[in-house]
Amino acid sequence: MSKPELIHRGKVRDVYLDGEILLLIATDRISAFDVILPSLIPEKGIALTQLSRFWFESLPEGINSHLIDFENPYPNEHPDWTGRITRCRKLEPVKMECVVRGYLAGSGWVDYQKTQTIQGHALPEGLIESSPLPEPLFTPTTKADVGHDMPLTREAGIDLLGHELYSALEEQSIALYQWAQKKAQASGIIIADTKLEFGYDGDEICLMDEIFTSDSSRFWPAEAFEPGRTQHSFDKQFVRDYLLSLKDWDRQEPGPELPEEIITQTRSRYFEVYELITGRSIDLKP
């Protein structure tokens, strides 16, 4: 049996080619502001993979994905991959990241304060930080190989992909967000916004990468939700907030080490949201 070949090292995932199959390995790395931080969050990769697994294995009928399974084909050579691995079909990625917002937070809140719009979407007057939006907004970005992803207006997205593909991704992304939001709210979690990625398998559009995790979504506890302020979060916004408090870091490489307290609390939040949404504890040796 040939050895899998490392073909890409992302901010969080290492990607191996195993014959015609891709192996996505979620590491314990964490990034913020497009910078990979030197500190690791213990077992973060397991928490990400297992939450993504929960969503992939319960997708609505008719939603295609890249997923094959979550089994480790190399338990002896790579025992550390167990619980972190996603085996999937190799797709041709769509060069756009599909972001859906249900609440006014993050860069959306910043834009609203300046222009009362988010990426060309006009919004009502009088909204405050964390306000629920009148309806979910599709606010995609470019998918940059290096550097920052850039926001796209609807017109720019259509220029990039064409009207038919852009509209199909918009419709499916919003429908998936609403589906996941309903399931999460039953567990006391608000999904304020999320990022989805899609790719082509021949002519078929498939969901890919990770879905509705603490790295790709903004999770808030519903019982503590209060518009008009920054919300308690179960995602890496906690790390971003710490980094924003630093006066001597310019958001450029190299990133600063995280204090042990921040590492511990971040790990706790990743694990807690998994347990709240799924109703079970993470098996660290699944």
Side-chain angles (χ1 to χ4, degrees):
M1 180 182 294
S2 61
K3 292 183 179 180
E5 175 191 359
L6 178 65
I7 59 172
H8 178 70
R9 178 155 282 163
K11 296 185 182 77
V12 173
R13 284 171 178 76
D14 294 337
V15 182
Y16 289 81
L17 184 62
D18 188 20
E20 296 298 314
I21 294 173
L22 289 183
L23 309 179
L24 309 185
I25 312 299
T27 73
D28 294 336
R29 297 191 295 268
I30 190 165
S31 68
F33 308 112
D34 292 320
V35 173
I36 300 172
L37 303 179
S39 303
L40 300 178
I41 309 299
E43 284 104 26
K44 169 180 175 281
I46 295 177
L48 287 177
T49 301
Q50 296 311 308
L51 185 53
S52 197
R53 178 175 187 168
F54 168 79
W55 294 111
F56 270 119
E57 291 183 341
S58 58
L59 281 172
E61 187 175 350
I63 301 296
N64 301 312
S65 82
H66 69 341
L67 178 64
I68 296 174
D69 60 40
F70 294 91
E71 300 305 314
N72 183 1
Y74 301 98
N76 296 323
E77 299 88 339
H78 297 283
D80 55 311
W81 285 3
T82 300
R84 303 173 178 273
I85 188 169
T86 305
R87 297 177 68 243
C88 53
R89 292 178 287 161
K90 187 177 181 181
L91 305 184
E92 180 63 34
V94 173
K95 295 297 185 180
M96 185 177 79
E97 299 203 339
C98 297
V99 179
V100 182
R101 301 175 184 272
Y103 291 76
L104 195 53
S107 61
W109 168 235
V110 172
D111 291 347
Y112 176 81
Q113 293 177 89
K114 294 177 181 176
T115 65
Q116 204 177 303
T117 67
I118 301 179
Q119 291 172 229
H121 296 278
L123 293 172
E125 294 182 5
L127 298 183
I128 56 179
E129 184 178 5
S130 304
S131 287
L133 297 173
E135 58 184 9
L137 294 183
F138 186 61
T139 57
T141 70
T142 58
K143 186 175 174 60
D145 293 325
V146 294
H148 299 282
D149 298 329
M150 300 302 295
L152 291 168
T153 62
R154 178 177 178 80
E155 292 74 18
I158 289 172
D159 286 345
L160 180 67
L161 300 182
H163 189 278
E164 183 178 357
L165 178 56
Y166 182 93
S167 297
L169 293 176
E170 178 180 35
E171 180 180 354
Q172 189 164 134
S173 296
I174 290 174
L176 282 166
Y177 170 77
Q178 292 173 322
W179 164 78
Q181 178 76 289
K182 184 176 180 180
K183 289 180 71 71
Q185 285 183 329
S187 304
I189 297 295
I190 293 170
I191 305 179
D193 51 47
T194 198
K195 178 191 75 174
L196 300 168
E197 297 191 43
F198 295 85
Y200 276 106
D201 184 9
D203 294 331
E204 180 182 64
I205 286 287
C206 299
L207 192 59
M208 58 179 274
D209 198 51
E210 62 177 343
I211 53 172
F212 305 113
T213 72
S214 299
D215 271 9
S216 65
S217 309
R218 209 182 298 265
F219 293 131
W220 298 338
E223 66 178 6
F225 175 65
E226 183 183 345
R229 61 173 174 80
T230 301
Q231 307 300 307
H232 178 83
S233 65
F234 291 114
D235 51 69
K236 69 177 182 179
Q237 186 61 42
F238 179 70
V239 173
R240 293 190 197 100
D241 291 343
Y242 165 74
L243 294 172
L244 287 170
S245 74
L246 301 178
K247 305 301 183 185
D248 56 352
W249 186 52
D250 60 0
R251 304 189 199 177
Q252 303 296 318
E253 298 277 4
E257 293 277 357
L258 297 176
E260 191 61 37
E261 178 184 1
I262 299 297
I263 291 173
T264 300
Q265 290 193 46
T266 302
R267 181 187 185 278
S268 175
R269 290 169 190 239
Y270 275 65
F271 274 64
E272 185 176 0
V273 78
Y274 171 88
E275 292 171 3
L276 289 169
I277 289 175
T278 68
R280 57 180 181 260
S281 298
I282 292 180
D283 183 356
L284 293 179
K285 295 182 179 180

